[in-house]
């Protein structure tokens, strides 16, 4: 039996809406676009975002464009499906970027995959991360049910208490500890899991 490869999706046709409690605007999850590079470069000046991306930091317009191209390749391969999170606006208008959610399926899809997220400074404390994660979770289980996806894992450093709260709000139970692996992962990590 040959290992399965990830099923690529058409990023141009993939949009997910996270409903919002009034008066907050809905969130739109959509694949990253080259036109996002200037705003991404500004967002990544935030020390918190830079700390999360120590190995692949976006520091300027050129590195932002390069990072967005890597996200496009993930969609082509079907193994890393990264969504920009933006405030939903009127038809045809682009909203402000608030962060990212991502589904990492690996090179041989199986019954589990990994999710991750980050938020821009302007989005923190507004419920953006849990709303976006819930939308991604529902989308992933629906879209890949036929591929046998039954569980999602979320990893974060033990000192990231905000991510721990978001994971628990979204039904991801703390199931274990992953040992540190410097330099990329200098601290132990929490492993959260959600079953379909």
């Amino acid at each position: 039996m040959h290992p399965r490869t990830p099923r690529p999706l058409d990023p141009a046709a993939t949009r997910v809406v996270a409903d919002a409690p009034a008066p907050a605007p809905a969130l739109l999850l959509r694949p990253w676009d080259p036109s996002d590079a200037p705003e991404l470069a500004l967002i990544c000046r935030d020390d918190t975002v830079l700390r999360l991306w120590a190995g692949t930091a976006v520091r300027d317009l050129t590195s932002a464009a390069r990072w967005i191209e890597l996200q496009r390749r993930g969609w082509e391969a079907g193994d890393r499906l990264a969504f920009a999170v933006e405030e939903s606006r009127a038809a045809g208008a682009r909203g402000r970027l608030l962060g990212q959610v991502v589904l990492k399926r690996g090179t041989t899809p199986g019954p589990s995959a990994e999710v991750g997220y980050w938020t821009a400074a302007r989005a923190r404390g507004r419920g953006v991360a849990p709303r976006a994660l819930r939308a991604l979770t529902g989308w992933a289980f629906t879209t890949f049910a036929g591929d046998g996806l039954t569980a999602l894992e979320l990893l974060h450093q033990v000192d990231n208490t905000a991510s721990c709260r978001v994971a628990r709000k979204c039904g991801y139970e703390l199931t274990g500890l992953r040992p540190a692996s410097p330099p990329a992962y200098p601290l132990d990590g929490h492993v959260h899991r959600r079953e379909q």
Side-chain angles (χ1 to χ4, degrees):
M1 177 180 249
H2 297 288
R4 293 182 305 154
T5 56
R7 175 170 48 104
L9 299 175
D10 179 7
T14 305
R15 302 285 185 273
V16 180
V17 175
D19 292 329
L27 301 176
L28 174 66
L29 282 54
R30 59 162 177 80
W32 287 91
D33 184 86
S35 66
D36 294 324
E39 194 170 0
L40 177 63
L42 288 173
I43 288 170
C44 290
R45 290 182 181 167
D46 174 19
D47 288 339
T48 301
V49 173
L50 285 174
R51 182 176 62 86
L52 294 173
W53 286 358
T56 57
V58 172
R59 298 190 184 277
D60 56 25
L61 188 57
T62 301
S63 58
R66 203 169 30 245
W67 184 85
I68 289 170
E69 174 60 18
L70 287 173
Q71 306 320 300
R72 186 193 63 74
R73 289 185 200 153
W75 277 90
E76 279 183 0
D79 61 354
R80 182 181 170 87
L81 309 173
F83 291 88
V85 177
E86 71 177 34
E87 289 178 324
S88 184
R89 295 287 184 220
R94 291 287 289 268
R96 292 188 326 155
L97 286 174
L98 300 177
Q100 171 182 271
V101 288
V102 61
L103 176 69
K104 304 171 197 174
R105 299 178 57 222
T107 55
T108 54
S112 67
E114 183 182 341
V115 295
Y117 57 88
W118 56 262
T119 54
R122 62 181 165 221
R124 293 183 201 132
R126 296 177 42 205
V128 169
R131 289 170 45 213
L133 180 59
R134 282 187 202 106
L136 177 70
T137 300
W139 175 83
F141 281 140
T142 300
T143 302
F144 299 107
D147 292 348
L149 181 67
T150 59
L152 295 171
E153 288 189 336
L154 185 152
L155 309 171
H156 65 81
Q157 285 191 167
V158 294
D159 65 340
N160 191 339
T161 57
S163 279
C164 210
R165 283 191 305 272
V166 168
R168 288 183 168 149
K169 279 183 186 177
C170 296
Y172 286 78
E173 298 300 323
L174 181 60
T175 59
L177 194 65
R178 180 155 303 166
S181 179
Y185 304 100
L187 299 176
D188 291 344
H190 281 170
V191 179
H192 294 262
R193 186 174 177 91
R194 178 165 169 179
E195 307 281 339
Q196 183 168 5

